[in-house]
Amino acid sequence: MTGAWEWSYEGYEPDEERLREALCTLGNGYFATRGAASETSTGGPHYPGTYMAGCYDRLISTVQGRKVENADLVNLPNWLPLRYRIRPVGADPGPWLSPDHEHLKEHRQTLDLRRGTLNRRTVYEDGAGRRLDVEQCSLVHMGTPHLAALRTAFTADGWTGSIEVEAAIDGDIRNTGVPRYRDLSNRHLTAWSTGTEQDGVVWLRCRTVESDIGFALASRVATSGGPGRSPEGSGRHSRPRQTPRQVFQTLVLPVDAERDAVVDKTVALYTSRDRAIGSPLRAAVAGVRTAPDFAELLASHCRAWAGLWDRARIEVPGEAGRILRLHLFHVLQTLSPHTAELDVGVPARGLHGEAYRGHVFWDELFVLRFLSLHFPEVSRGLLDYRYRRLPAACRAAQQAGRAGAMFPWQSADDGREETQELHLNPRSGRWLPDRSRLQHHVGSAVAYNVWQYCQATADTDYLHSKGAEMLLQIARFWASGADWDASLARYRIRGVVGPDEYHDAYPGAGSAGIDDNAYTNVTAAWVLARATELYRDLPEPRRRTLLERSGLDPAELERWEDISRRLYVPYHRGVISQFAGYGELDELDWAAYRKRYGDIRRLDRILEAEGDTVNRYQASKQADVLMLGYLFSPGELGGLFQRLGHVLDDETWRATVDHYLARTSHGSTLSSLVHAWVLARVHREEAWTYCEEALTGDVVDIQGGTTAEGIHLGAMAGTLDFVQRGMTGLETRDDALWLSPAPLPQLSKFGVRIRFRGLGDVDLGIRARRLRIAVPHSHHPAVRLVLGGHTHVIAPGTERWLDLPTGRRSDRRHGKGRQG
Ligand code: BGC
């Protein structure tokens, strides 16, 4: 029976092992390690990987005669290895055991979400009936982010003798986790050295090849009391063994019917980027030496997790609730309060694998709104990652002949564009031009995140300093790329790629990109409007500083205002067009393709392999126009369209939703999430189908093999936000909480705890069409809550139950909203 706080796998399935490793990753926002078995090493079903947030290295590879440079999130030395074999009295030592060995009889692994541990029980039995029961508990410490530990307990049954245990740190590591990247250079570590201290602590240090980051890992192995029968006090340590890239510690522990053997491995990990440490090696050796024993480490680790669970409480009954908890677990392991201290962005695939090389895309759009309502300091740290790269974004814009800031589609260490020039279609085996770097809409995502963070936290200081600088430079970029078209009497932004990456050029066109992507233009209009408004609201000294820093001419703002009202939004047959000319593209025979191929999520690859191109068709990889319904409430979106001179009524929006729903292949996990959100807001039953798909995307690996290479962090955080904001219609603006609940019948009862404008632990819950809000005791002013057009004032230390408005309220409608 699996509990609400557990994620378990019964039996050993080599084919599923890499997926399980990704989903059983343990991390703390500083580093993370895939949930590989400690007895295994890279190869076949196993890929133990350890990744440190923000640690990249770049190498040059030759692909099809071209030199390409790639920055990778580096797979670090492996601290996990711990293998064992039995040494029965009067017999030869048995083989080294692992789940792949034929002696395996039982295997169960469980992620304990509440405590943040991975627990495994493995039972082996040899031909002579000698059984060995192994229980292992591992943790990556959430309180002291440099520590990890592994407790392994052995019970012998039917024999007497000893267990030989070999623990290691393995520095002979490459980035080989993604088969598609096999042609690329992968050796990121160099300058290894290993050593042994007199007290038995062993260590390994090395550096990255190009980014020159130093790493040191130290390990201590001890026998200790554990659960079960009488534990063995001390085993026999043999001298540690070193090779240039590995270091080993060996122990021999007596076991018999009365005695269990327990081995604890404690590891400390430091980098040359850590502050106040002297040297990584000194810090690692001291860290492991002074670390408390396993029981104490486990207790402090659990306490740290309890604090996180409390701040981000989410209560949803049933299986959906269990999956959501798993999602929250992985979001917090990737982006924890420790992250706020680092210079890192949101890695699209977590710290869970090597897909997309650990790069940062626009996916923070799906993550920050969730985080800002629980861990605003983490959101701020993630925004700072962008701010530090604002000069690089300004240089990129300049090189492209534009003004302002052009943030890269893929970002890693120094903020340059990391999107590859070529990508491989595994179906055809062909390397093709990758034009996804034309997704300049990533800049609007940065601006949107800045704005929303400040709305949720009331961090005016940020908004008026770093926030304003980013917003203004992004607005400036849009203004510099908007050309006036007299025939349309509209501004146009040409040569871009929208969120739907399938359309990267017009069929047969010599140049890359499409024109007037509705999502790009509407979000650009939003940025320009916000930036203009913000500039005008800035206190005078701030405005002066900003003008000095950015070289902005206040006269530019008049043009911004004009562009924000007259950007072109194309339509065809009564629906918003994804881009200009979209309506003239061919219709795809979806039924025929589904019949022929079954899974057509990666329609782009299918068509290219057929010698065709998806650019010819009205077929999208993921939500594009509909993203507007995800970012903006109906009222806000209506206001934005009104500002652009259009009436976006319910009918047009519904027709637009229908149009794209029928023409999207959901080749990105973000797609089902956005569809669930948009459909729930227009009260459509299919919303639950998409929600289920978003919930199960990673746990059943819906995209066919991709989760093994890293979780989809945006979709995971997005599902949490789906409950928190999608179901409640929660908006944080004008100093109030605005709620417009639209719960699905399948999610009609839930509770979330949020932090709003400096006030923590505000509980919101929905049950039986009633809303509960509880505001904790504090010195904060009362919370203003707007529900169904009525404002309620909830004093600190009180709770209220409010009836949900019946029917469809006018504040849900498009076209009637406030000005965007
Ligand atoms: C999606 C992008 C996303 C990226 C990283 C791609 O498949 O199309 O929207 O940013 O994955 O998650």
Side-chain angles (χ1 to χ4, degrees):
M1 169 74 190
T2 299
W5 286 85
E6 283 180 359
W7 196 259
S8 292
Y9 296 103
E10 202 60 63
Y12 174 63
E13 297 291 342
D15 292 346
E16 271 196 27
E17 191 55 15
R18 286 192 178 212
L19 170 65
R20 293 180 182 184
E21 286 175 355
L23 291 171
C24 291
T25 294
L26 296 179
N28 56 25
Y30 172 74
F31 80 99
T33 298
R34 287 164 61 86
S38 70
E39 306 86 340
T40 62
S41 51
T42 298
H46 310 290
Y47 194 74
T50 289
Y51 309 94
M52 167 89 46
C55 283
Y56 297 94
D57 184 59
R58 52 184 76 240
L59 293 176
I60 293 177
S61 318
T62 306
V63 178
Q64 298 215 317
R66 275 169 74 169
K67 293 232 175 298
V68 294
E69 189 175 311
N70 283 304
D72 284 286
L73 185 70
V74 179
N75 186 8
L76 298 183
N78 184 10
W79 64 270
L80 272 181
L82 186 136
R83 59 178 188 160
Y84 42 83
R85 56 181 174 176
I86 66 169
R87 288 174 158 274
V89 171
D92 289 339
W96 292 106
L97 294 168
S98 87
D100 298 300
H101 201 277
E102 57 180 11
H103 289 174
L104 181 79
K105 288 286 168 275
E106 289 172 37
H107 183 78
R108 177 186 165 88
Q109 76 186 52
T110 301
L111 204 51
D112 181 332
L113 303 173
R114 193 193 297 273
R115 294 153 62 90
T117 56
L118 176 60
N119 304 309
R120 286 195 301 138
R121 175 160 184 254
T122 316
V123 179
Y124 300 95
E125 185 178 323
D126 68 10
R130 300 182 194 102
R131 283 173 77 88
L132 180 69
D133 192 322
V134 186
E135 284 194 40
Q136 194 176 60
C137 172
S138 41
L139 62 90
V140 168
H141 206 279
M142 190 47 98
T144 310
H146 300 279
L147 294 179
L150 201 61
R151 162 163 286 190
T152 315
F154 302 95
T155 304
D157 186 3
W159 61 282
T160 298
S162 53
I163 306 279
E164 183 180 343
V165 177
E166 184 192 72
I169 306 175
D170 182 7
D172 197 9
I173 299 293
R174 295 168 187 253
N175 274 55
T176 55
V178 178
R180 287 184 306 290
Y181 305 161
R182 63 181 170 267
D183 293 344
L184 306 173
S185 306
N186 54 31
R187 172 71 86 190
H188 290 286
L189 299 178
T190 185
W192 300 262
S193 56
T194 52
T196 308
E197 301 291 304
Q198 283 200 335
D199 58 1
V201 167
V202 300
W203 54 262
L204 177 141
R205 70 175 157 186
C206 57
R207 307 194 71 80
T208 50
V209 169
E210 193 272 344
S211 54
D212 200 26
I213 307 170
F215 297 96
L217 290 90
S219 158
R220 180 183 85 192
V221 175
T223 57
S224 70
R229 295 164 291 179
S230 85
E232 170 56 21
S234 66
R236 190 157 49 79
H237 285 252
S238 60
R239 263 193 76 73
R241 188 165 59 85
Q242 289 163 232
T243 71
R245 298 177 190 178
Q246 284 147 332
V247 56
F248 301 89
Q249 291 157 295
T250 308
L251 278 174
V252 179
L253 304 157
V255 277
D256 57 35
E258 303 301 320
R259 266 189 306 197
D260 289 349
V262 180
V263 177
D264 293 340
K265 178 179 184 185
T266 310
V267 177
L269 166 52
Y270 281 82
T271 87
S272 53
R273 295 189 165 180
D274 294 321
R275 286 174 272 193
I277 57 161
S279 82
L281 180 57
R282 206 193 308 151
V285 170
V288 84
R289 225 173 237 158
T290 54
D293 68 14
F294 186 85
E296 221 178 294
L297 272 178
L298 178 62
S300 54
H301 171 68
C302 294
R303 281 197 300 277
W305 264 108
L308 297 186
W309 288 121
D310 197 46
R311 275 176 77 178
R313 189 181 293 175
I314 179 162
E315 300 292 343
V316 173
E319 184 60 2
R322 198 170 72 96
I323 297 176
L324 284 164
R325 208 162 267 141
L326 179 79
H327 287 183
L328 182 50
F329 182 71
H330 286 303
V331 170
L332 293 176
Q333 294 200 112
T334 312
L335 304 167
S336 79
H338 300 298
T339 315
E341 304 294 318
L342 307 171
D343 176 33
V344 303
V346 175
R349 305 300 284 274
L351 297 171
H352 295 60
E354 290 163 18
Y356 289 132
R357 304 184 175 81
H359 290 177
V360 174
F361 296 63
W362 71 325
D363 300 50
E364 63 210 52
L365 196 57
F366 302 85
V367 179
L368 259 68
R369 290 209 72 178
F370 173 75
L371 283 181
S372 296
L373 288 170
H374 305 281
F375 303 95
E377 74 280 21
V378 181
S379 289
R380 189 179 163 132
L382 297 167
L383 292 175
D384 278 345
Y385 165 85
R386 293 298 192 178
Y387 179 72
R388 291 187 201 100
R389 287 151 185 81
L390 184 61
C394 291
R395 277 196 302 279
Q398 209 175 20
Q399 275 158 17
R402 304 271 290 269
M406 182 168 92
F407 278 97
W409 172 239
Q410 293 188 29
S411 180
D413 51 7
D414 61 8
R416 76 179 76 170
E417 178 58 80
E418 302 286 358
T419 306
Q420 54 197 347
E421 305 270 349
L422 299 171
H423 63 187
L424 178 70
N425 179 358
R427 205 176 257 278
S428 67
R430 278 189 285 268
W431 285 89
L432 306 160
D434 187 332
R435 298 165 176 146
S436 56
R437 66 180 58 213
L438 294 175
Q439 288 186 74
H440 300 316
H441 64 82
V442 62
S444 295
V446 174
Y448 179 89
N449 287 330
V450 166
W451 185 264
Q452 297 298 350
Y453 159 78
C454 296
Q455 287 290 317
T457 59
D459 191 348
T460 315
D461 194 47
Y462 199 85
L463 184 63
H464 286 176
S465 53
K466 296 176 183 173
E469 209 176 324
M470 285 195 268
L471 239 101
L472 262 66
Q473 294 290 22
I474 295 163
R476 207 176 191 190
F477 173 73
W478 286 132
S480 78
D483 297 327
W484 178 249
D485 183 329
S487 65
L488 289 172
R490 288 276 180 181
Y491 288 96
R492 310 185 65 179
I493 297 176
R494 297 170 184 257
V496 298
V497 170
D500 160 34
E501 305 185 319
Y502 281 177
H503 290 97
D504 64 0
Y506 286 100
S511 59
I514 44 95
D515 302 335
D516 311 301
N517 172 246
Y519 173 81
T520 303
N521 288 9
V522 174
T523 53
W526 180 88
V527 173
L528 288 159
R530 285 291 86 82
T532 316
E533 177 186 307
L534 175 62
Y535 178 80
R536 291 186 182 136
D537 287 351
L538 281 180
E540 186 48 36
R542 295 276 193 168
R543 199 183 296 166
R544 260 202 318 276
T545 314
L546 201 64
L547 288 184
E548 251 164 50
R549 286 183 65 84
S550 62
L552 187 79
D553 177 352
E556 289 179 45
L557 269 86
E558 270 164 50
R559 185 161 175 269
W560 294 8
E561 170 84 38
D562 189 41
I563 299 171
S564 78
R565 295 179 181 280
R566 294 206 280 173
L567 266 164
Y568 180 43
V569 180
Y571 283 79
H572 70 279
R573 292 185 286 284
V575 303
I576 305 165
S577 296
Q578 193 171 302
F579 52 84
Y582 170 91
E584 280 111 67
L585 299 180
D586 287 349
E587 289 282 9
L588 184 88
D589 187 346
W590 290 84
Y593 271 85
R594 285 207 171 96
K595 195 159 164 224
R596 195 167 338 144
Y597 290 96
D599 183 352
I600 57 163
R601 284 169 205 278
R602 292 311 301 262
L603 195 55
D604 57 333
R605 292 177 176 168
I606 292 175
L607 289 167
E608 193 276 332
E610 284 184 348
D612 200 347
T613 165
V614 72
N615 272 323
R616 286 183 47 216
Y617 301 98
Q618 293 186 31
S620 305
K621 177 181 179 187
Q622 65 200 88
D624 190 304
V625 174
L626 299 192
M627 273 298 299
L628 294 171
Y630 174 74
L631 292 195
F632 302 109
S633 68
E636 276 180 302
L637 191 58
L640 257 172
F641 270 73
Q642 208 171 48
R643 190 186 164 96
L644 285 161
H646 298 282
V647 175
L648 179 60
D649 52 24
D650 282 356
E651 203 185 318
T652 310
W653 181 248
R654 280 167 194 276
T656 302
V657 170
D658 284 341
H659 183 87
Y660 293 101
L661 198 56
R663 292 169 179 79
T664 303
S665 76
H666 307 294
S668 158
T669 51
L670 300 171
S671 193
S672 42
L673 170 76
V674 175
H675 280 83
W677 191 289
V678 168
L679 291 169
R681 300 308 303 170
V682 292
H683 305 274
R684 291 265 295 263
E685 274 172 17
E686 305 99 295
W688 179 245
T689 310
Y690 289 96
C691 178
E692 272 190 311
E693 191 166 317
L695 279 170
T696 54
D698 270 333
V699 298
V700 304
D701 194 13
I702 264 177
Q703 301 279 342
T706 62
T707 303
E709 301 167 351
I711 54 156
H712 297 82
L713 196 70
M716 281 195 172
T719 55
L720 298 164
D721 206 27
F722 181 74
V723 176
Q724 177 177 280
R725 291 192 311 112
M727 295 290 88
T728 59
L730 173 67
E731 290 177 80
T732 47
R733 58 178 158 91
D734 310 332
D735 239 342
L737 281 177
W738 296 68
L739 291 169
S740 170
L744 294 172
Q746 298 86 346
L747 268 180
S748 58
K749 189 172 132 191
F750 58 84
V752 292
R753 165 168 288 185
I754 61 165
R755 166 174 289 266
F756 170 61
R757 303 200 142 218
L759 175 62
D761 298 347
V762 176
D763 286 324
L764 290 175
I766 286 186
R767 185 188 297 177
R769 296 213 53 83
R770 299 191 79 204
L771 175 110
R772 173 179 173 267
I773 175 164
V775 179
H777 280 286
S778 80
H779 300 303
H780 278 77
V783 170
R784 283 197 317 123
L785 180 145
V786 187
L787 178 69
H790 298 287
T791 302
H792 306 266
V793 179
I794 325 290
T798 64
E799 73 163 357
R800 288 272 276 282
W801 282 91
L802 303 167
D803 289 330
L804 296 191
T806 47
R808 289 172 190 179
R809 299 209 50 84
S810 61
D811 63 356
R812 287 198 198 117
R813 281 199 207 118
H814 297 91
K816 296 252 162 66
R818 45 190 206 105
Q819 284 283 298

